[in-house]
């Protein structure tokens, strides 16, 4: 059984980049089929890997193993026509923690680093108890389609949002110098988020963009606003070609 799921763009279009998606606690790759297809439709090569295993007793080893899997996933996309840049890692929940901690760590090497990262639903330090499955669904998403996907997935690990995230990895994720452009996505209805900490992290990084999604919950890539979130992600991907300057400036009388 493969350890990744690939989503391919339309035939005949030039591939615009490589996106590696890293799920979070309890999630399987199936949770990101919709997101992967949407980015692939814009001619990005998308590969979804398994969620990282973060061992509180061996955080350094956890990052080493995750880094090796990430490198293998990127290199594995090169079979036909090489690795297509920019290479962007999209991490959700503990996938975001592992990605940010790996890149922000003191021992992080420039070899094999992605060109940019997207951190979605980065959890805060506070311990949480989500309780029964129906409540966990409410914490995760209000999207009926995504709730059905999660509920119908026999491999999802229910109750996983109660798992503590190692503090040392959270500290590295929030306080490290990631060194590449960063898009931080957070729902303003996410009960697991520490918005003050996210603002501090975004302002401390030289090339960061913080996007707050109105009404979105913890699974910000897969909530009711998933179309807008995918569009925001693609907009970020496209700005990587022009020093993070958006191609479109919006002024609205609704403001």
């Amino acid at each position: 059984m493969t350890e990744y799921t690939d989503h391919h763009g339309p035939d005949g279009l030039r591939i615009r980049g490589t996106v590696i998606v890293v799920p979070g606690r309890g999630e399987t790759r199936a949770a990101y089929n919709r997101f992967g297809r949407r980015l692939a439709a814009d001619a990005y090569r998308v590969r979804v890997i398994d969620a990282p295993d973060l061992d509180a007793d061996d955080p350094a080893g956890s990052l080493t193993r995750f880094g090796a899997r990430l490198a293998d996933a990127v290199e594995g996309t090169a079979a036909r026509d090489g690795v297509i840049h920019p290479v962007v890692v999209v991490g959700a929940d503990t996938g975001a923690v592992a990605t940010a901690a790996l890149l922000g760590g003191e021992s992080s090497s420039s070899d094999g680093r992605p060109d940019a990262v997207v951190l979605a639903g980065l959890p805060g330090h506070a311990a949480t108890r989500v309780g029964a499955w129906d409540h966990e669904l409410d914490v995760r998403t209000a999207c009926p389609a995504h709730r059905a996907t999660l509920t119908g997935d026999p491999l999802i690990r229910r109750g996983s949002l109660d798992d503590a995230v190692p503090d040392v990895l959270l500290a590295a994720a929030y306080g490290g110098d990631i060194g590449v452009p960063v898009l931080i996505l957070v729902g303003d209805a996410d009960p697991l988020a520490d918005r003050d900490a996210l603002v501090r992290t975004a302002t401390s990084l030289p090339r960061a963009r913080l996007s707050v999604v109105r009404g979105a919950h913890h699974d910000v890539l897969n909530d009711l606003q998933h179309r807008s979130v995918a569009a925001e992600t693609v907009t970020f991907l496209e700005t990587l070609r022009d020093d993070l300057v958006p191609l479109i400036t919006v002024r609205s009388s609704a403001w």
Side-chain angles (χ1 to χ4, degrees):
M1 182 178 180
T2 61
E3 296 181 351
Y4 54 81
T5 301
D6 285 337
H7 298 276
H8 302 286
D11 290 338
L13 294 184
R14 179 176 61 87
I15 300 170
R16 296 188 63 76
T18 303
V19 178
I20 307 296
V21 180
V22 187
R25 283 171 289 181
E27 296 178 318
T28 71
R29 300 191 303 269
Y32 293 91
N33 285 339
R34 181 174 63 184
F35 180 75
R37 288 194 301 266
R38 188 160 279 136
L39 267 58
D42 276 308
Y44 285 90
R45 176 179 289 163
V46 181
R47 171 164 286 185
V48 185
I49 67 175
D50 289 332
D53 181 13
L54 302 184
D55 185 351
D57 295 325
D58 185 20
S62 297
L63 290 186
T64 298
R65 291 186 291 273
F66 171 64
R69 286 182 50 228
L70 203 56
D72 287 345
V74 174
E75 289 302 317
T77 68
R80 288 191 298 176
D81 43 10
V83 176
I84 307 298
H85 289 265
V87 174
V88 180
V89 178
V90 178
D93 184 62
T94 49
V97 173
T99 299
L102 178 68
L103 297 182
E106 293 181 1
S107 61
S108 177
S109 169
S110 60
D111 296 336
R113 291 173 71 86
D115 300 300
V117 297
V118 178
L119 307 178
L122 194 66
H125 284 272
T128 57
R129 299 295 297 176
V130 299
W133 178 241
D134 285 347
H135 186 232
E136 182 173 349
L137 283 175
D138 291 341
V139 168
R140 286 185 175 278
T141 181
C143 175
H146 188 53
R147 290 168 73 98
T149 295
L150 294 175
T151 300
D153 186 348
L155 299 180
I156 194 170
R157 190 163 53 83
R158 299 187 181 195
S160 58
L161 290 183
D162 284 338
D163 294 349
V165 182
D167 270 338
V168 65
L169 297 183
L170 280 171
Y174 277 97
D177 181 7
I178 293 176
V180 297
V182 182
L183 169 63
I184 300 173
L185 289 164
V186 60
D188 71 0
D190 180 359
L192 307 186
D194 183 338
R195 277 167 283 280
D196 290 339
L198 289 173
V199 170
R200 287 194 298 270
T201 296
T203 54
S204 72
L205 297 171
R207 293 179 292 172
R209 171 177 177 152
L210 174 61
S211 297
V212 180
V213 184
R214 180 160 51 91
H217 298 77
H218 185 61
D219 292 359
V220 66
L221 298 176
N222 283 310
D223 212 346
L224 287 170
Q225 306 81 357
H226 57 88
R227 294 176 182 84
S228 296
V229 171
E232 177 73 359
T233 303
V234 171
T235 296
F236 174 70
L237 297 176
E238 293 297 312
T239 66
L240 297 175
R241 296 173 175 81
D242 196 21
D243 295 327
L244 301 184
V245 178
L247 294 175
I248 298 173
T249 300
V250 177
R251 290 185 172 86
S252 170
S253 61
W255 297 350

